Amino acid sequence: MTPFTQNVVSIITSIPEGRVMTYGQIAAHAGSPRAARQVVRILHSMSRKERLPWHRVVNAKGEIAIPDEHSRLIQETELISEGVEFKLDGTIDLEIFGYQPEPE
DNA sequence: GCCATGGCTAGTA
DNA sequence: GCCATGGCTAGTA
């Protein structure tokens, strides 16, 4: 695992229950602000093995970004059970539920 | 080559 | 809607 990947994994692992981070925020905190899509790849390939709380990652608009219907339902259900609220338009208020790890 | 992004624009009300 | 982007566990939650 490369240092960037390690950072991403540890950041995702550190997201507390009931809070969410965006792909871009995670990439930025891992040291590469424009590598949001790489965060996606890591989520894809490592969610299981590393037991990542993958459901606590959303896009910059506060939306669930998963294409697969079944998986997005799981994500929504998990978040709601942790106390995250969805607005009527289906987005999460990042001002309230967004998580900012301590900067380096 | 892939990808569950993100930020900026176009075209419209 | 378009397209620059970047790191790499490609049996996907």
Side-chain angles (χ1 to χ4, degrees):
Chain A
M1 208 160 41
T2 67
F4 176 78
T5 302
Q6 276 176 350
N7 285 338
V8 169
V9 167
S10 100
I11 290 163
I12 295 172
T13 305
S14 78
I15 307 173
E17 249 186 60
R19 310 295 291 280
V20 297
M21 283 185 80
T22 72
Y23 302 92
Q25 281 174 347
I26 293 166
H29 273 279
S32 189
R34 279 163 291 174
R37 307 204 70 149
Q38 184 57 20
V39 173
V40 168
R41 296 223 104 208
I42 292 166
L43 248 9
H44 256 277
S45 50
M46 303 180 70
S47 280
R48 274 199 177 170
K49 282 185 176 173
E50 301 290 333
R51 314 215 119 159
L52 302 179
W54 58 269
H55 60 280
R56 307 211 263 249
V57 186
V58 297
N59 70 19
K61 298 177 223 159
E63 301 167 328
I64 287 179
I66 302 180
D68 177 64
E69 258 330 295
H70 180 62
S71 299
R72 55 188 304 136
L73 188 61
I74 293 173
Q75 179 167 15
E76 186 182 6
T77 307
E78 286 285 308
L79 289 175
I80 289 172
S81 77
E82 294 184 359
V84 175
E85 293 168 19
F86 286 81
K87 295 191 273 188
L88 289 174
D89 63 3
T91 67
I92 294 165
D93 191 338
L94 297 177
E95 294 292 318
I96 301 173
F97 299 105
Y99 173 63
Q100 273 88 17
E102 298 303 317
E104 286 292 315

